Amino acid sequence: MDPGTAIAVATLCSKVVSVIWKYYIDVQDAKSNIMHLANEIQDFGQVMQRVEELVHKSPRFPVSASLHSTIEQAFSDAQLLESKLDPGKTGKAMKRLGRRALTWLFTKKEAEDWVTRFQRLKATVNLALTTDQSSIVIDVDTRVTRVREDQVAAERERQLAKLPFAASACFDSYHRQHETECIEDTRVDILERLEDWGANHDRPLFWLSGMAGTGKSTVARTFAKRLKSKRALGGNFFFSRASGEANNAGNLVGTLARQLADFSPDLKESISEAIASHEGVVRQGLRDQWKELIFRPLSAAILPGQTTLNVVIDALDECGSDDDIRLILQLFIEVKDIKNVDLGIFVTSRPEVVIRLGFDNMPAVIHEKLDLRDIPRHIVEHDISLLLDHEFDRIRLQHKLQDWPSEDDKRLLIQRSDCLFIYAKTACRYIGDLDWDPEERLVEILDGSSTGGGSTAQLDAMYSHVLQQALIEVQSEVQIAQLCGRFKRVVGSIVTLHDELSIVTLAQLLCIRPREAMALIRMMPHAVVMIIRLANMSELVEHRNLRAIVEDARRFILYSRAIIEEAPLQAYASALVFTPSESLIRSCHKDQLPSWLIKSPTVDTDWNNCVLAVETNLGEPLIAFSADGKYLASASTTYNEGIIRLWDADTGVLHSTLEGHQDGCQAIGYLQDGTLISFSRNGALRTWEHITGATRQILNDAHQYGPYDAGVSMLVTKKGNLAILLDRAVRIWSFENESLSEPLNQDFEVLCLWGCLLQETVVMTAVRKGKEFVELLLLESDSRRIQTLTTFARKRGSFRGADISDVACSGTIIAWVSLGGSIWLFDKAHDSRTELAFQSAPVYQLAFCPNGRGMLACTRDGSLVLWDLSTQTHRLVGICLFCMGMTVSPNGKQVATLGSSTGSLIQVWDLTIHTRGEMHDIPRDCQLLFAPSGGQIAGANVDPTISPRKCKEIYKGIWLQSTTNEQTNILLEHSQDVRWILSVSPDGRYIAAALSEDIVRLWDTETGKVTKTLSNCRDIRTLAFSSDGTKFASAGRNGDLCIWDFSNGLPQYKIKGQLYPSNMTFSLNGRKLVWAANHVIDDYEVTVWDAGTGGSLDIASQSIERLSAQSKAIAISPCGEYLAYQAQLNVVAIHNTNTKEERNLQSFYRKAAYLRSMAFAPDSKSVALHLSSDEIELWDVDTVQPIQIAPTHISSDRRIEFSANGEILVTNLGQFPIHRVDTNKRKLSRRSYWRYHDGWMMESSRRMLRLPPDINFGVNEENLVHRDGLFAFWDSRHGIRYLGFTQDEVAMEDV
């Protein structure tokens, strides 16, 4: 046995203890000393035993040198002690004399010394163990920290990888490794000036301009290298027309952001977090990218020891378009507002007009300029002379020449260069060709002449000579043909690839269609523009079929743009599904419809009037067309969120986001010169140049004039001034004088501004002093003449002050609509008033067409109606849900609507298209409920005549629809009110509903007839069927609980209570009924009732903290034995209804969440908890321990339930498989699991089908239901729409 092991020491200590105990038995005196020593050695032996167990259980446990030496010392001491206590030489003597002859060998002091020795050994071992364990803990902690840091770093790199990055645009990239720098002693003054500026930016921008070939890029490359060596280079981008990625402005910000992230860990953290929190920023415009990825990270950056940073931008003139250049220069101006870092941007370019004007319009204090043409000629020629000396030295060395060239030849070549470095460089490359005589080639160049003109004439002549000489010096015709062929292939390819690879070629390479190829390279907006242009061109062609297919393709692209842009390779899977049935594109590609979609949604026969739909994630109720009709501006009115977005009205692409207001916008509009004007809640008035985003605040704080109204507060008058409502008075802002007039009204207080007519007449609602009614007035700003159109009863609490929905003005015509729905027209020229007859839902908004002959009205049910005022007839344009804003294009051909709910939907409607649709008679929204079998679906329609705030309380009618043939059976007419308290029996035979007149009605779903009417059901809040369908329970707001007898429709048991019911459920066998009922505010109690006798099973009611009162979740196991409910914050109680035993699950302890719902597995052995954080936890009921599952998130407030096999959780959003980490559990069956998430129909984690924006906007948790792969949702155009998906496994090739 190895004496260095702990087990050897433990064994030896055991033997020593055995010997000592012999002494203890035989020796009469010194027993205390003997016992003390025996106990100490026994304790030490046990310590050694634990050390051995630790090493055995953890083979990687490190035994330090100190511990090892202590163990060896202990073994040696134990051996010594054993030899003293039981010496071998006296063994026979002890046997002969007997044990009574044993005497204790140690004095008291000697025994204490041995005790002390082993105590020290034990202390040393414990200390060594503690030290080793501490080192392990520290090592583990270090490794965990390193792993976490690696994970964080990997996540940051993953986020940064999303950035568009142009590697070839970096000055030190592989693609530019052969590009030269300034030769020593050349460009000395320029580089010294740049280095002085780069070290201290008195002016943050520096523009170096010059003609082509003057060496701008060489200077930029040299300057960038010197900055990098000093660690003062934050980023660089060298534009190039010859590179597909380096000539694209869309790659600029991403490339600079990536370089800044590599420069500093602090910047890397800020930029990666910006990408993670704004996932779409990499696809947004340059302004948004600059703000999120450059400006904000640099503004918040803390760079220790680093105060100066530079960015080098070369050849800005070779960037995409003039609009991009203007915007880039506007963004560069913002560096002056970055305070944490002294940032400078160095720009080189040719003196193009757009760039020159861009710098000329900047304040002179923020930029420097240097034009290479202003450098004296003798300095440039001196630098070219040094360049030639450098190159000729190389040529002389390669060709072994001496005293060449002559000074005269050198001077002539300098003269021929005409201050162009590119000429001298190209000439030297031609002369120095290793296959030719440099002396002869120099003579050829110097003897050549230029017949052209301009600054590059000498260069053109030299290139022509080089090409001609290449053919002249070839001897045979065959060689000439071969050389010409090579020239075509090489130079021709270079010319062809000067721009990006063509879309068709790219599509052929990737085996995809051109539209998908354009989407992949983020050129979908260009595809939209191309198809629009093609459609315009086709109108000139006398070919009916061609025009039809082009027009259909235009509508397909516009309608499906968002889908194709987000998922290019799924264009034909997602976009085709929702395309009209008679679409030519659908007919051509019908074989591309996905096979895994087994029930397709109902679609229109042909395209409707909506030509564009764009979803946004913010509520933006303000919208306006630009003066030229090219852009749409939308604005948020949310407090502290003064964001204005600009959209391309043709393509729907977000052009830019304008930020400047510190609060939500109150009104937006366009002046006649195209300037965007906005008025914020905090009284700031701003103008915007919407191409560049430049803004100016012209009125800082309107509060100085008193409070302003909460309604419309700004109108653009016909003269281009502004009418503003401040302190209940109308004032005119003059842009010419930049001043605000005195109040125009003295005798009344204005409640709301509505519009302007000719001759500067402002339309408003106001209250005269001393009067109690509201008047609709015309106020002429020049003469201050007032005319009353009509009066309304004053409505307190309404910001409009009266029962008036909207007012619109055009020319001399005013239209207004009351909250009751009546539409009135007033002709100011003829002083006449007319009422329009309109039999539909109440009108909500009005807008005139620019010609004054048409008027648009939007009703409360979403119908968008166009009136012909000459005939007083109207037609339906389309359906727009939750319309909050409407604006007509300047040419009157389009109207844009803005629907606002949890997000916003911008729709553009073509008014020139006359669809075959009739007036809308489908409710705008509906609540749906699947029958358990999935074969039927029940619904109740929202009442379109009531306000949206109350639409979740009262519904109209109840109906039942078959999910197979979609036939509908009306159970309750739409004229009757019903509360959304519906329940379907488990077998689908009965449906129950609580009606407004305090009755509950039950229908037979097969016959559609009423089977029972239950009366005296006051204010019902909860209904429930038992699993076997034999019992039915209802609970009212007052706490009354009734269990009804199906045979006679009378209450079998009625229990009075004082609690507000929040949830109720039967056990699977129907014998027990569980309900959770709230006390007034803070508490609730859970009670189990015997459904057979109506008696309480006497579960103690438990008052809990107020926070947990948010949870209404209860669940009873299928066997009826267990009840689960949230007992207190972070604690779920599992109650055994038979034994009254109760155990707690200490759940979601870190998440501070409450429960949304719970569900027992079919075998009652586990329970799933759905947290408010969307997470799912699975717990074992017997052990009350969590079961490890893969992360599962469900973002639904609806109740969860298990599938019959217990493998998946089912909600209205779909199927969520439970993947247990325990490998002993059987794997999930091979099948598909479908769910809805963020606009996508998902199969497990795969995005399969994208809902179009106009459809997805109307989908919400209330009107989306699911059963076994069949989804149903309410659509305001078609009623119920279905999407049925296969339950079989979907192979990757089918995606």
Side-chain angles (χ1 to χ4, degrees):
M1 183 178 294
D2 185 359
T5 61
I7 189 61
V9 177
T11 303
L12 186 56
C13 287
S14 179
K15 292 171 62 178
V16 172
V17 170
S18 298
V19 174
I20 294 176
W21 280 114
K22 293 178 182 179
Y23 281 95
Y24 181 81
I25 295 172
D26 294 336
V27 178
Q28 296 302 319
D29 55 347
K31 284 187 179 293
S32 61
N33 292 338
I34 297 172
M35 182 176 291
H36 191 189
L37 179 58
N39 290 338
E40 192 60 45
I41 296 175
Q42 186 174 7
D43 288 347
F44 184 76
Q46 291 174 351
V47 169
M48 290 294 96
Q49 183 68 33
R50 288 196 297 271
V51 171
E52 178 63 24
E53 291 174 355
L54 179 62
V55 174
H56 180 72
K57 290 181 179 179
S58 305
R60 295 185 179 180
F61 183 83
V63 179
S64 62
S66 62
L67 179 58
H68 193 272
S69 63
T70 302
I71 294 173
E72 288 182 342
Q73 181 63 46
F75 188 82
S76 176
D77 288 350
Q79 277 185 324
L80 178 60
L81 181 59
E82 182 188 28
S83 65
K84 287 182 176 294
L85 290 174
D86 193 12
K89 62 182 180 180
T90 62
K92 294 181 180 180
M94 285 190 295
K95 288 181 180 179
R96 184 173 60 249
L97 298 174
R99 287 184 296 175
R100 287 295 177 182
L102 285 176
T103 59
W104 183 237
L105 302 178
F106 301 126
T107 64
K108 182 178 180 180
K109 184 177 183 306
E110 289 173 335
E112 291 177 350
D113 289 342
W114 279 106
V115 169
T116 302
R117 182 181 297 186
F118 277 95
Q119 285 178 339
R120 288 175 179 172
L121 286 171
K122 183 169 64 174
T124 305
V125 169
N126 288 333
L127 179 60
L129 281 175
T130 302
T131 303
D132 291 347
Q133 289 174 342
S134 298
S135 66
I136 292 174
V137 171
I138 293 172
D139 181 62
V140 169
D141 184 66
T142 302
R143 293 186 181 185
V144 169
T145 302
R146 189 180 300 118
V147 169
R148 289 175 178 171
E149 290 174 349
D150 291 343
Q151 290 175 340
V152 171
E155 175 60 19
R156 290 174 182 171
E157 291 297 329
R158 190 181 72 83
Q159 295 297 338
L160 292 174
K162 298 178 182 178
L163 292 172
F165 183 75
S168 61
C170 303
F171 86 96
D172 54 355
S173 67
Y174 172 83
H175 308 79
R176 298 179 180 270
Q177 61 182 326
H178 300 301
E179 295 179 353
T180 60
E181 302 169 19
C182 294
I183 295 173
E184 187 177 0
D185 295 329
T186 62
R187 298 299 198 186
V188 175
D189 294 340
I190 296 176
L191 290 172
E192 286 182 353
R193 179 176 174 182
L194 288 177
E195 290 194 59
D196 290 342
W197 170 84
N200 184 14
H201 305 116
D202 292 331
R203 299 178 181 184
L205 300 181
F206 196 117
W207 180 36
L208 178 68
S209 63
M211 301 302 294
T214 53
K216 303 181 299 297
S217 294
T218 305
V219 171
R221 201 156 36 248
T222 305
F223 182 44
K225 184 175 182 180
R226 293 185 181 183
L227 289 173
K228 185 177 180 180
S229 66
K230 299 176 181 178
R231 193 166 168 72
L233 180 65
N236 66 98
F237 197 99
F238 281 54
F239 284 101
S240 173
R241 287 195 180 94
S243 170
E245 61 178 9
N247 69 0
N248 186 355
N251 294 327
L252 172 63
V253 175
T255 303
L256 294 180
R258 180 64 208 231
Q259 293 169 339
L260 286 171
D262 293 337
F263 180 84
S264 160
D266 184 63
L267 286 174
K268 177 173 287 189
E269 179 181 358
S270 299
I271 294 172
S272 61
E273 287 179 354
I275 300 171
S277 57
H278 303 82
E279 291 188 0
V281 71
V282 296
R283 298 187 298 272
Q284 292 177 352
L286 287 178
R287 176 171 295 278
D288 293 326
Q289 290 187 25
W290 176 268
K291 176 186 67 179
E292 299 295 341
L293 303 177
I294 304 293
F295 185 82
R296 286 183 174 173
L298 282 175
S299 298
I302 301 176
L303 305 179
Q306 181 69 39
T307 58
T308 304
L309 211 55
N310 296 270
V311 172
V312 176
I313 307 295
D314 181 56
L316 181 60
D317 53 288
E318 298 191 26
C319 160
S321 66
D322 288 353
D323 284 344
D324 287 336
I325 293 174
R326 291 190 192 96
L327 179 56
I328 289 171
L329 292 177
Q330 286 290 334
L331 296 177
F332 286 171
I333 295 176
E334 296 179 4
V335 301
K336 63 181 176 57
D337 299 322
I338 298 176
K339 306 302 182 184
N340 289 7
V341 180
D342 180 16
L343 180 65
I345 299 181
F346 173 66
V347 180
T348 75
S349 74
R350 298 178 189 179
E352 304 289 355
V353 174
V354 61
I355 300 177
R356 178 166 47 81
L357 291 178
F359 278 99
D360 288 345
N361 292 332
M362 295 181 191
V365 295
I366 69 169
H367 73 278
E368 294 185 39
K369 296 180 183 178
L370 177 59
D371 193 334
L372 293 178
R373 294 173 296 181
D374 296 336
I375 298 177
R377 186 180 184 90
H378 71 276
I379 295 178
V380 179
E381 290 183 344
H382 172 266
D383 289 347
I384 291 178
S385 175
L386 293 177
L387 170 63
L388 291 176
D389 289 342
H390 178 272
E391 292 296 324
F392 285 152
D393 285 344
R394 178 181 58 82
I395 296 172
R396 281 195 297 269
L397 182 63
Q398 290 175 342
H399 291 267
K400 299 180 180 180
L401 298 175
Q402 293 182 352
D403 301 328
W404 175 90
S406 67
E407 288 296 322
D408 290 340
D409 288 346
K410 177 182 171 183
R411 279 195 298 271
L412 182 57
L413 191 58
I414 294 174
Q415 182 181 352
R416 288 286 183 91
S417 297
D418 195 23
C419 294
L420 294 176
F421 282 83
I422 192 173
Y423 182 96
K425 189 71 177 175
T426 305
C428 290
R429 188 179 300 117
Y430 176 73
I431 294 169
D433 193 323
L434 292 175
D435 294 332
W436 302 93
D437 184 355
E439 294 178 304
E440 292 180 1
R441 289 212 156 189
L442 176 60
V443 172
E444 292 170 1
I445 289 180
L446 296 179
D447 288 345
S449 61
S450 173
T451 58
S455 60
T456 62
Q458 298 291 345
L459 190 62
D460 295 339
M462 184 184 69
Y463 281 141
S464 298
H465 175 78
V466 170
L467 293 174
Q468 291 171 2
Q469 193 66 25
L471 292 178
I472 291 174
E473 294 173 352
V474 175
Q475 300 299 320
S476 68
E477 293 294 330
V478 176
Q479 290 178 324
I480 291 177
Q482 290 176 343
L483 188 59
C484 288
R486 292 176 185 174
F487 180 84
K488 290 179 180 179
R489 286 195 301 272
V490 176
V491 179
S493 298
I494 294 174
V495 172
T496 302
L497 295 177
H498 184 267
D499 292 323
E500 297 95 338
L501 201 63
S502 72
I503 300 301
V504 174
T505 304
L506 179 61
Q508 291 173 346
L509 287 175
L510 300 178
C511 299
I512 59 177
R513 296 174 177 82
R515 281 189 293 269
E516 300 168 43
M518 296 191 76
L520 278 175
I521 60 176
R522 299 176 183 171
M523 290 186 63
M524 198 60 201
H526 299 278
V528 175
V529 173
M530 288 168 57
I531 200 67
I532 291 174
R533 290 177 179 173
L534 183 61
N536 294 335
M537 293 168 58
S538 68
E539 294 179 359
L540 305 177
V541 179
E542 294 295 332
H543 196 298
R544 187 174 181 179
N545 292 339
L546 175 62
R547 291 200 304 269
I549 190 67
V550 171
E551 175 60 19
D552 196 75
R554 182 183 75 90
R555 295 301 305 272
F556 177 81
I557 288 289
L558 287 173
Y559 183 71
S560 310
R561 181 194 65 81
I563 297 176
I564 300 175
E565 193 169 44
E566 186 174 354
L569 301 182
Q570 295 182 3
Y572 294 91
S574 293
L576 276 183
V577 170
F578 299 94
T579 303
S581 59
E582 295 185 3
S583 163
L584 297 177
I585 296 295
R586 185 185 182 112
S587 299
C588 292
H589 301 285
K590 59 185 178 182
D591 59 324
Q592 299 294 321
L593 288 168
S595 59
W596 35 261
L597 183 65
I598 58 178
K599 187 175 180 62
S600 298
T602 304
V603 295
D604 292 327
T605 303
D606 203 352
W607 296 105
N608 56 35
N609 293 66
C610 182
V611 295
L612 191 66
V614 178
E615 273 185 297
T616 72
N617 56 358
L618 293 177
E620 300 170 321
L622 302 178
I623 189 170
F625 261 111
S626 63
D628 57 6
K630 293 182 178 179
Y631 296 96
L632 276 169
S634 63
S636 171
T637 59
T638 305
Y639 288 100
N640 302 320
E641 202 172 79
I643 298 175
I644 301 174
R645 300 175 189 243
L646 290 178
W647 309 85
D648 189 301
D650 290 330
T651 66
V653 174
L654 178 62
H655 179 272
S656 59
T657 300
L658 308 179
E659 293 188 13
H661 285 305
Q662 302 301 314
D663 208 342
C665 290
Q666 186 66 32
I668 59 173
Y670 276 91
L671 303 179
Q672 294 177 351
D673 63 358
T675 302
L676 176 64
I677 188 84
S678 62
F679 193 52
S680 71
R681 287 182 176 274
N682 63 358
L685 191 64
R686 283 184 174 272
T687 60
W688 308 81
E689 207 287 309
H690 62 235
I691 296 297
T692 64
T695 182
R696 185 168 72 94
Q697 187 160 292
I698 58 178
L699 183 60
N700 184 30
D701 186 7
H703 289 297
Q704 59 184 305
Y705 302 98
Y708 53 91
D709 190 79
V712 178
S713 54
M714 178 195 77
L715 295 169
V716 180
T717 69
K718 300 301 178 182
K719 291 182 180 179
N721 295 322
L722 293 178
I724 305 176
L725 178 59
L726 297 171
D727 193 21
R728 302 297 186 188
V730 180
R731 299 169 182 261
I732 302 296
W733 172 270
S734 170
F735 283 95
E736 182 178 357
N737 302 324
E738 293 198 352
S739 61
L740 202 62
S741 72
E742 293 297 320
L744 301 184
N745 53 296
Q746 300 292 338
D747 300 328
F748 50 84
E749 63 176 34
V750 178
L751 302 178
C752 191
L753 295 181
W754 292 104
C756 293
L757 297 173
L758 298 177
Q759 293 87 38
E760 299 296 277
T761 304
V762 179
V763 183
M764 57 191 181
T765 46
V767 177
R768 294 180 189 268
K769 294 181 178 179
K771 304 294 184 180
E772 286 299 322
F773 54 85
V774 177
E775 299 177 61
L776 183 62
L777 301 174
L778 300 181
L779 171 63
E780 295 181 3
S781 60
D782 294 334
S783 65
R784 304 198 178 188
R785 178 175 173 267
I786 296 175
Q787 180 180 358
T788 300
L789 301 182
T790 187
T791 60
F792 303 90
R794 187 163 190 179
K795 187 176 182 180
R796 301 288 181 179
S798 170
F799 74 87
R800 290 167 176 152
D803 286 334
I804 185 170
S805 294
D806 201 10
V807 177
C809 307
S810 177
T812 61
I813 304 295
I814 295 178
W816 69 87
V817 56
S818 66
L819 290 179
S822 300
I823 303 176
W824 293 87
L825 296 177
F826 176 78
D827 188 335
K828 184 174 182 294
H830 300 90
D831 196 23
S832 61
R833 183 164 55 179
T834 307
E835 182 180 8
L836 294 180
F838 186 55
Q839 300 297 325
S840 184
V843 173
Y844 190 65
Q845 287 193 330
L846 296 173
F848 274 100
C849 296
N851 58 17
R853 294 192 295 271
M855 182 182 70
L856 287 148
C858 188
T859 65
R860 198 177 290 280
D861 68 354
S863 299
L864 183 62
V865 180
L866 177 62
W867 284 84
D868 185 329
L869 297 181
S870 60
T871 62
Q872 293 196 9
T873 59
H874 58 268
R875 63 181 175 89
L876 179 68
V877 176
I879 305 298
C880 48
L881 286 178
F882 310 110
C883 182
M884 299 295 292
M886 182 165 56
T887 179
V888 183
S889 63
N891 61 12
K893 295 182 178 180
Q894 292 180 320
V895 60
T897 60
L898 196 152
S900 184
S901 182
T902 54
S904 292
L905 177 69
I906 298 175
Q907 291 176 279
V908 178
W909 308 83
D910 191 331
L911 300 179
T912 64
I913 300 176
H914 292 263
T915 58
R916 299 191 295 267
E918 301 296 331
M919 281 301 296
H920 186 58
D921 59 355
I922 300 177
R924 69 175 173 209
D925 204 354
C926 182
Q927 303 291 283
L928 303 176
L929 181 67
F930 257 118
S933 64
Q936 292 177 312
I937 192 168
N941 299 324
V942 170
D943 187 348
T945 63
I946 61 177
S947 66
R949 291 183 179 179
K950 296 181 179 179
C951 68
K952 301 300 181 184
E953 299 177 5
I954 303 297
Y955 298 86
K956 289 291 186 180
I958 301 175
W959 43 264
L960 201 65
Q961 185 176 100
S962 168
T963 59
T964 54
N965 56 25
E966 301 186 20
Q967 291 185 354
T968 303
N969 188 4
I970 303 297
L971 304 182
L972 188 70
E973 293 297 331
H974 288 197
S975 59
Q976 294 182 266
D977 293 346
V978 58
R979 296 188 181 277
W980 180 241
I981 309 295
L982 259 66
S983 182
V984 181
S985 63
D987 58 2
R989 180 69 185 275
Y990 299 102
I991 182 172
L995 306 188
S996 298
E997 55 267 28
D998 290 339
I999 64 173
V1000 174
R1001 190 167 291 173
L1002 283 82
W1003 288 267
D1004 188 311
T1005 58
E1006 294 181 358
T1007 64
K1009 296 181 179 179
V1010 177
T1011 60
K1012 294 290 184 298
T1013 299
L1014 314 179
S1015 57
N1016 298 321
C1017 301
R1018 182 182 175 188
D1019 205 0
I1020 294 297
R1021 292 297 169 179
T1022 307
L1023 299 175
F1025 280 95
S1026 63
S1027 299
D1028 57 6
T1030 61
K1031 297 181 180 66
F1032 176 72
S1034 65
R1037 187 187 183 103
N1038 61 355
D1040 289 349
L1041 172 65
C1042 289
I1043 300 177
W1044 299 85
D1045 187 336
F1046 263 24
S1047 61
N1048 55 24
L1050 298 176
Q1052 186 176 6
Y1053 303 105
K1054 191 169 185 179
I1055 305 164
K1056 283 284 186 181
Q1058 301 295 325
L1059 306 175
Y1060 184 93
S1062 57
N1063 201 350
M1064 182 168 60
T1065 183
F1066 277 93
S1067 63
L1068 187 64
N1069 56 20
R1071 296 176 182 175
K1072 297 171 184 176
L1073 176 67
V1074 183
W1075 82 336
N1078 287 75
H1079 287 292
V1080 181
I1081 295 178
D1082 300 338
D1083 306 325
Y1084 78 84
E1085 69 176 28
V1086 177
T1087 310
V1088 179
W1089 301 91
D1090 188 316
T1093 65
S1096 170
L1097 297 185
D1098 195 27
I1099 290 182
S1101 301
Q1102 184 173 0
S1103 296
I1104 58 175
E1105 300 176 35
R1106 179 173 183 174
L1107 184 60
S1108 62
Q1110 299 176 65
S1111 174
K1112 304 173 183 179
I1114 58 174
I1116 191 166
S1117 64
C1119 65
E1121 182 179 0
Y1122 299 110
L1123 166 69
Y1125 67 98
Q1126 184 170 355
Q1128 52 185 296
L1129 181 63
N1130 301 341
V1131 175
V1132 172
I1134 302 292
H1135 188 94
N1136 189 311
T1137 59
N1138 295 329
T1139 66
K1140 307 299 186 293
E1141 178 190 3
E1142 190 164 284
R1143 292 176 295 171
N1144 292 334
L1145 309 179
Q1146 297 293 332
S1147 175
F1148 46 92
Y1149 55 93
R1150 296 180 184 175
K1151 307 177 181 68
Y1154 65 90
L1155 279 175
R1156 285 179 170 167
S1157 63
M1158 292 182 287
F1160 279 93
D1163 59 6
S1164 300
K1165 293 182 179 180
S1166 58
V1167 61
L1169 311 182
H1170 184 199
L1171 312 184
S1172 59
S1173 58
D1174 294 343
E1175 294 170 274
I1176 295 293
E1177 290 183 355
L1178 190 65
W1179 289 76
D1180 188 292
V1181 173
D1182 292 331
T1183 64
V1184 200
Q1185 293 298 317
I1187 300 173
Q1188 295 299 314
I1189 61 173
T1192 305
H1193 294 78
I1194 302 178
S1195 55
S1196 171
D1197 283 331
R1198 295 285 189 90
R1199 185 172 181 173
I1200 61 172
E1201 60 184 43
F1202 274 93
S1203 61
N1205 60 10
E1207 291 184 352
I1208 61 176
L1209 288 174
V1210 181
T1211 74
N1212 65 308
L1213 299 184
Q1215 303 160 319
F1216 297 81
I1218 300 298
H1219 297 279
R1220 298 197 180 197
V1221 177
D1222 186 355
T1223 56
N1224 294 326
K1225 301 294 182 180
R1226 64 186 182 92
K1227 294 184 178 179
L1228 297 179
S1229 56
R1230 300 177 67 86
R1231 51 162 295 177
S1232 298
Y1233 302 97
W1234 296 90
R1235 60 189 175 92
Y1236 168 83
H1237 175 69
D1238 196 21
W1240 280 91
M1241 306 309 298
M1242 312 275 292
E1243 195 287 305
S1244 294
S1245 61
R1246 295 183 291 181
R1247 301 193 304 178
M1248 303 292 283
L1249 186 69
R1250 179 67 162 91
L1251 300 185
D1254 60 328
I1255 294 178
N1256 187 57
F1257 180 70
V1259 174
N1260 55 61
E1261 191 173 302
E1262 281 77 21
N1263 65 18
L1264 176 68
V1265 291
H1266 162 265
R1267 180 70 63 179
D1268 296 330
L1270 179 63
F1271 291 83
F1273 57 90
W1274 185 259
D1275 182 79
S1276 57
R1277 294 198 307 272
H1278 304 91
I1280 295 184
R1281 299 180 91 171
Y1282 295 96
L1283 285 169
F1285 299 94
T1286 179
Q1287 294 293 279
D1288 297 329
E1289 186 178 17
V1290 179
M1292 284 300 298
E1293 56 267 23
D1294 295 331
V1295 177

